[in-house]
Amino acid sequence: MNKAKLLLGPGPSNANQRVLDAMSAPLIGHLDPEFLEVMAAIKEMLQRTFQTRNHLTFAVSAPGSAGMETCLVNLLDPGDEALICVHGVFGNRMSDIVERCGAKLIRVDAPWGEPVDPLQVKDALEKCNPKLVAIVHAETSTGVLQPLEEISKMVHEAGSLLVVDAVTSFCGTTLKIDDWGIDAVYSGSQKCLSAPPGLSPVSFSERAVEVVHNRKSKVQSWFLDLSLVSNYWQGAKRAYHHTAPVSSMFALKEALTLVVEEGLENRYARHWQAHELLKSGMESLGFELLVKQGFRLPMLNAIKLPDHIDDAAVRKQLLDDYGIEIGAGLGDFAGKVWRIGLMGENARPESVDRLLTAIKEIS
Ligand code: PLP
């Protein structure tokens, strides 16, 4: 058995013991009535935590990237236009999927480390007629929190659907699917939910479901086709679609139960408090945050690396000697930033203190 490490990178985060225990419960069949009750409980708690009444709300049996593909491959027919807002790695990934769908990609790019300006979206919407606009709420590669409400209004005035990547924001900062007019959203189990990786909560508005029903062509992916998989998650007569990852679903149910017990507002506040502690601690050690005030994520902190710090050596020492994982910079930010995650179970003063003490000793 490997020794428990403190996971302060971009995910996975550490899971609560109750979640680990749930995962080791005896297996049951994936169409056993008892398992169908587990699925119903997951669906109900996902609706509560996404703050939505959307009927089509469930967990895709695959990681966040599969949630991303589920949204895009179901909503786009070949030839459709899709406007993708890109301010880091995950907007790029969405753009790639759009092209693989045979749809016409239109991009709005913001510099890495900054949010997309709503005016950029407004300008783009004047020149095209996209079926959907997609944007990342919490860009894990840069630590930017993207405001969504103004963009949502513009998208709907243009008659398009809004697709949001909430892989990192879900259960860590405010996210209101219905109030913010989000038509399709996907997340991941391994970040602020603190469940094991490998499941992707998703939710679709009635408008989005209507678009899926009116598709001109078959969805290119059998596994992710909502018209097939939704019969497994809803309806009186559940039909076999795939063999669900039973143990991971037990864990997801327990992780959601913990969120509901804590309360969303308390959980968000706990993430912000941990972020503030980390920020002041790192600043007192001479480090600077990359993202400007007002657009910082609480659960993923991008820290600029001064020249005298040997990025790889310090991260290795943290992992080997202190059992603490932090994230390296991705893409344009490789070698330039650290990405310190304070997600779910780890958004606590004890985690921040442990990390600050270790960094002080090393550097
Ligand atoms: N979107 C964002 C914002 C992410 O941070 C990630 C993973 O880090 C993904 C999508 C992809 O999720 P996964 O790695 O679970 O496939």
Side-chain angles (χ1 to χ4, degrees), residues 200-268:
S200 178
V202 293
S203 185
F204 295 85
S205 70
E206 293 309 317
R207 257 159 46 98
V209 170
E210 184 84 12
V211 166
V212 176
H213 283 157
N214 292 324
R215 287 183 61 87
K216 294 188 229 49
S217 58
K218 250 184 172 182
V219 174
Q220 74 195 42
S221 160
W222 179 88
F223 186 65
L224 302 177
D225 185 340
L226 284 174
S227 66
L228 305 174
V229 74
S230 60
N231 293 331
Y232 184 37
W233 275 87
Q234 59 193 26
K237 205 161 170 284
R238 303 294 184 85
Y240 163 71
H241 176 262
H242 65 280
T243 309
V246 172
S247 305
S248 297
M249 292 292 186
F250 287 161
L252 179 65
K253 178 179 170 231
E254 197 58 31
L256 284 164
T257 305
L258 282 160
V259 176
V260 170
E261 283 174 9
E262 179 174 14
L264 280 175
E265 293 302 327
N266 292 336
R267 196 173 180 92
Y268 301 154

Side-chain angles (χ1 to χ4, degrees), residues 132-153:
L132 63 83
V133 177
I135 191 159
V136 178
H137 186 210
E139 189 34 273
T140 326
S141 60
T142 63
V144 167
L145 176 60
Q146 172 69 51
L148 292 175
E149 287 171 275
E150 200 180 337
I151 289 178
S152 172
K153 225 169 135 242

Side-chain angles (χ1 to χ4, degrees), residues 10-11 62-68 90-91 93 136-141 165-169 186-191 197-200 330 339 343:
S65 306
M68 187 189 283
F90 296 100
R93 189 173 297 184
V136 178
H137 186 210
E139 189 34 273
T140 326
S141 60
D165 176 319
V167 170
T168 289
S169 55
Y186 58 91
S187 187
S189 47
Q190 76 274 28
K191 310 254 182 185
L199 291 173
S200 178
L330 275 187
R339 292 178 305 140
M343 300 180 175

